Amino acid sequence: MSSTPGLGGRIALVTGAARRVGAEIATHLHAAGADVGIHYRHSGDDAEKLAARLNALRPNSAAAFQADLLDTAAIPALISAVIEWRGGIDILVNNASTFYPTPLGEITEAQWDDLVGSNLKAPLFLSQ
């Protein structure tokens, strides 16, 4: 992908960006000129590899940041770390989510809290 000037100088934070769709979103934003914060919860190796691959294309343009978004107390530290890295956040992509089979009639309250936390609660608190 070629860089387009539309996102040059912008800072993007993509949650759940170490693998799958999140990594593709981060890669696309980077190709469009944005510097990219790659958030991960457990996939540190994948996040660091993606950051290294993007930095090989454009030095110092990507960094990995760990946080458990289900812990709302950890969210301000994540935001602060990205701001310290690049001075702000222009683009927030709430990609992180928990997903696993939850058959109707067998969903537990812990599963509900997990799914709602990653898909609704964390994006709200990140956006604030």
Side-chain angles (χ1 to χ4, degrees):
M1 291 184 224
S2 64
S3 179
T4 57
L7 295 181
R10 303 287 182 167
I11 313 306
L13 172 59
V14 182
T15 65
R19 301 184 296 153
R20 295 185 293 270
V21 172
E24 291 300 319
I25 293 169
T27 300
H28 182 76
L29 290 169
H30 185 268
D35 288 351
V36 181
I38 301 163
H39 161 265
Y40 68 94
R41 180 170 61 169
H42 297 302
S43 303
D45 289 343
D46 291 327
E48 293 294 342
K49 287 177 186 174
L50 176 58
R53 185 167 52 86
L54 298 178
N55 284 325
L57 298 171
R58 190 162 23 93
N60 303 313
S61 60
F65 299 91
Q66 194 284 329
D68 181 350
L69 299 181
L70 294 177
D71 177 7
T72 53
I75 291 174
L78 169 63
I79 298 299
S80 292
V82 176
I83 290 171
E84 183 176 317
W85 172 61
R86 278 296 180 264
I89 299 172
D90 301 302
I91 302 163
L92 172 62
V93 178
N94 287 302
N95 172 72
S97 67
T98 304
F99 56 93
Y100 44 82
T102 48
L104 191 58
E106 298 176 24
I107 301 169
T108 67
E109 188 171 350
Q111 290 172 322
W112 169 260
D113 290 342
D114 184 40
L115 294 167
V116 169
S118 66
N119 292 292
L120 296 175
K121 186 177 179 182
L124 170 70
F125 284 95
L126 279 164
S127 296
Q128 291 191 124

